[in-house]
């Protein structure tokens, strides 16, 4: 019989050699945040606990926020409510958080509402410290639809305060999309159809965070195309100290994206799309030039997605293809997560709320995620039942270096959690020296510790 000390040492060695689990389930979440019904943004530390905190949209129905809160990135506890919906408010606002317009050290909030003031639109900047309105601008004419998209730019004018961009799409794009999606071939003649419904092309305006004054304007090319419908940040391509802006028209227009200088609004380059959003990918190929995610959508109806591409920011060649967990999903969400595995390459995350597997007559029972391998889970064929806006859902993180999955999170089959509406990198919540991941479902956010990735499976 082995002495107890030796037996304990053997058992401890065996446990230490067990590979880390790379298939996570909801029970693995370190904490959850209820009533999350929209985007989540990681911002600087607001409660001085040393962990970056979170702005998030909250309410009782997904896509319809009653308020925007700041919560602790350490445990999800409420820090403060920055904005609450007025009872007679019209439309669902878009928002962006993180910039500091008043110089008080707290991240502030931009709210855009294109339906306000008889569709003239409105944009407001609210203090993250007090909720007070710092800047408010309204559209100058009906149907201007100011506030269709908003984004923090950083300090574009050099006054020490962060500035912002806001778009005016100048067209009733919702009704135009409604009509287009009922055409036999929505892509054919879509641009001409949109032009017939609107004479203005849309524009993006950069504004001072201090007083809302205009810093620069960029105007679209085609009337009715809704230039500025989609805004996202890119890296500082021209090395002037201000990050650039990726601007797209309405996706139905089928037009290239523009990369604008965040400082001057000058067009630096254009990007052909895969009929979906264009996003900053970080430096995936480790060539010191940040790359781009091209989200793929069905060119006929701009709804269903299949697989997306990451292309080189330097050469525009494809670096990797990211397969969507459900190829017919309406809710695939791709993001750059930075270099999670410390190999010098930015990694890519994808969430898919429509992913679903279930028992059926023509195949065996699906594997238990708590016992299955990562390769087995990633290769599962999704078969959503339909009739719901989301299914169980999942989120998968891919290596930017190899294109292989690093780890993933799956909700229980048939649960209708809608996991994967959003995912983002957050500060280290379990003090193991690795940044972690937050993934949202249709009404709850889940914070997960990133598993050790130094020896990720090939």
């Amino acid at each position: 019989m082995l002495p107890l000390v030796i037996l304990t040492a053997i058992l401890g060695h065996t446990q230490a050699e067990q590979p880390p689990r790379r298939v996570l389930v909801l029970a693995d979440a370190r904490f959850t945040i209820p009533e999350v019904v929209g985007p989540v943004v990681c911002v600087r530390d607001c409660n001085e606990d040393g962990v970056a905190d979170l702005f998030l949209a909250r309410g009782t129905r997904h896509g319809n926020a009653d308020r925007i809160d700041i919560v602790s990135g350490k445990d999800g506890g409420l820090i403060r409510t920055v904005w609450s919906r007025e009872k007679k408010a019209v439309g669902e606002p878009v928002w962006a958080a993180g910039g500091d317009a008043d110089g008080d050290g707290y991240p502030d909030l931009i709210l855009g509402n294109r339906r306000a003031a008889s569709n003239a639109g409105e944009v407001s900047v609210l203090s993250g410290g007090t909720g007070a309105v710092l800047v408010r601008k309204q559209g100058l004419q009906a149907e201007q639809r100011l506030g269709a998209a908003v984004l923090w730019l950083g300090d574009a004018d050099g006054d020490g305060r962060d500035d912002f961009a806001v778009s005016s799409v100048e067209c009733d794009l919702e009704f135009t999309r409604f009509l287009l999606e009922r055409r036999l071939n929505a892509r054919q003649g879509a641009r001409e159809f949109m032009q017939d419904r609107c004479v203005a092309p849309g524009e993006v305006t950069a504004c001072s965070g201090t007083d809302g004054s205009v810093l620069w304007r960029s105007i679209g090319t085609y009337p009715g195309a809704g230039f500025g419908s989609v805004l996202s940040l890119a890296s500082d391509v021209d090395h002037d100290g201000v990050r650039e802006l990726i601007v797209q028209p309405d996706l139905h227009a089928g037009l290239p994206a523009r990369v604008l200088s965040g400082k001057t609004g000058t067009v630096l380059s254009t990007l052909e799309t895969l009929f979906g959003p264009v996003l900053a990918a970080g430096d995936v190929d480790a060539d010191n030039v940040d790359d781009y995610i091209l989200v793929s959508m069905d060119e006929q109806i701009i709804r269903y997605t299949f697989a997306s591409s990451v292309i080189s920011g330097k050469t525009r060649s494809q670096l990797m293809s990211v397969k969507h967990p459900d190829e017919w999903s309406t809710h695939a969400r791709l993001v750059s997560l930075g270099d999670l595995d410390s190999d010098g390459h930015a990694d890519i995350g994808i969430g898919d709320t429509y992913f679903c597997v279930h028992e059926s007559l023509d195949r065996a029972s699906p594997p238990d995620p708590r016992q299955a391998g990562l390769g087995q889970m990633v290769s599962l064929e999704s078969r959503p039942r339909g009739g719901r806006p989301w299914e169980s859902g999942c989120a998968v993180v891919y290596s930017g270096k190899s294109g292989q999955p690093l780890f993933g999170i799956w909700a229980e089959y048939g649960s209708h959690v809608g996991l994967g509406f959003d995912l983002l990198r957050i500060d280290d919540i379990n003090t193991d020296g690795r940044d972690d991941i937050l993934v949202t479902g249709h009404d709850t956010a889940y914070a997960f510790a990133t598993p050790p990735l130094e020896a990720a499976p090939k």
Side-chain angles (χ1 to χ4, degrees), residues 10 17 40 75 78 114 151 178 208 219 225 253 260 278 299 306 318 320 328 340 355 367 380 390 429:
I10 293 173
E17 287 187 341
V40 181
D75 59 17
L78 178 66
R114 64 185 185 276
L151 200 64
F178 174 83
S208 164
I219 300 173
L260 304 183
V278 177
E299 60 186 279
F306 304 94
Q318 180 171 293
M320 62 185 289
W328 293 99
L340 275 178
F355 175 84
L380 284 175
W390 51 77
I429 57 176

Side-chain angles (χ1 to χ4, degrees), residues 316-387:
R316 300 297 196 261
S317 60
Q318 180 171 293
L319 302 175
M320 62 185 289
S321 177
V322 182
K323 177 181 178 294
H324 296 179
D326 183 275
E327 67 175 12
W328 293 99
S329 175
T330 59
H331 295 297
R333 166 74 166 149
L334 283 97
V335 297
S336 173
L337 295 172
D339 184 11
L340 275 178
D341 55 1
S342 303
D343 64 357
H345 298 255
D347 303 313
I348 303 296
I350 180 169
D352 198 333
T353 64
Y354 215 55
F355 175 84
C356 178
V357 295
H358 55 85
E359 294 186 24
S360 62
L361 296 176
D362 61 341
R363 64 178 181 175
S365 298
D368 183 345
R370 292 166 294 187
Q371 300 176 1
L374 180 59
Q376 186 180 14
M377 293 300 297
V378 170
S379 64
L380 284 175
E381 180 185 357
S382 175
R383 292 190 179 183
R385 297 182 185 275

Side-chain angles (χ1 to χ4, degrees), residues 54-305:
L54 305 166
F55 270 71
L56 40 77
R58 305 186 84 171
T60 57
R61 184 164 59 89
H62 191 87
N64 189 16
D66 297 328
R67 62 193 187 279
I68 296 174
D69 289 342
I70 308 176
V71 304
S72 166
K74 191 172 186 178
D75 59 17
L78 178 66
I79 297 175
R80 69 178 64 90
T81 296
V82 179
W83 169 84
S84 295
R85 178 188 294 274
E86 297 178 359
K87 290 184 178 180
K88 296 183 179 180
V90 177
E92 179 69 13
V94 295
W95 59 274
D100 184 5
D102 55 3
D104 65 355
Y106 285 98
D108 298 323
L109 175 70
I110 316 169
L111 285 170
N113 188 344
R114 64 185 185 276
R115 295 184 181 276
S118 301
N119 294 327
E122 181 179 85
V123 62
S124 303
V125 179
L126 277 60
S127 166
T130 66
V133 176
L134 303 175
V135 174
R136 176 166 287 160
K137 294 171 68 73
Q138 284 192 337
L140 300 179
Q141 57 191 18
E143 302 302 323
Q144 181 178 342
R145 297 179 187 265
L146 177 72
V150 295
L151 200 64
W152 286 104
L153 286 175
D155 185 9
D157 59 3
D159 67 352
R161 309 289 176 87
D162 287 335
D163 306 308
F164 64 94
V166 57
S167 62
S168 304
V169 294
E170 302 179 312
C171 192
D172 183 4
L173 292 172
E174 290 84 356
F175 186 61
T176 302
R177 293 189 200 107
F178 174 83
L179 295 176
L180 278 169
E181 288 178 0
R182 280 150 182 80
R183 292 165 66 97
L184 180 62
N185 187 333
R187 177 63 55 193
Q188 183 179 4
R191 189 183 305 165
E192 291 77 11
F193 182 79
M194 296 170 86
Q195 289 179 7
D196 288 343
R197 291 191 49 77
C198 186
V199 296
E203 69 174 37
V204 174
T205 306
C207 301
S208 164
T210 303
D211 58 14
S213 58
V214 174
L215 304 179
W216 54 257
R217 280 192 175 93
S218 181
I219 300 173
T221 304
Y222 294 96
F227 181 70
S229 293
V230 184
L231 302 180
S232 60
L233 275 179
S235 61
D236 181 10
V237 175
D238 56 5
H239 307 293
D240 62 1
V242 180
R243 293 179 65 180
E244 321 307 357
L245 190 62
I246 304 172
V247 184
Q248 291 180 259
D250 186 84
L251 300 179
H252 283 95
L255 296 169
R258 292 185 193 173
V259 180
L260 304 183
S261 165
K263 191 169 188 176
T264 66
T266 303
V267 179
L268 301 177
S269 64
T270 60
L271 290 164
E272 294 297 330
T273 75
L274 297 178
F275 305 102
V278 177
L279 307 167
D283 189 4
V284 173
D285 55 0
D287 65 352
N288 296 317
V289 177
D290 281 0
D291 306 309
Y292 298 99
I293 299 170
L294 305 184
V295 179
S296 174
M297 291 187 175
D298 186 326
E299 60 186 279
Q300 296 293 324
I301 53 177
I302 315 301
R303 179 177 294 170
Y304 300 120
T305 55

Side-chain angles (χ1 to χ4, degrees), residues 3-17:
L4 181 60
V5 174
I6 297 176
L7 183 60
T8 303
I10 293 173
L11 289 174
H13 182 68
T14 302
Q15 291 174 355
E17 287 187 341

Side-chain angles (χ1 to χ4, degrees), residues 16-55:
E17 287 187 341
Q18 295 230 343
R21 285 181 57 222
R22 301 190 187 279
V23 176
L24 306 180
V25 295
L26 298 188
D28 294 314
R30 295 303 178 110
F31 63 84
T32 61
I33 308 171
E35 295 186 318
V36 178
V37 297
V40 181
V41 177
C42 190
V43 297
R44 70 195 75 173
D45 181 13
C46 297
N47 59 354
E48 300 181 354
D49 64 357
V51 178
D53 296 313
L54 305 166
F55 270 71

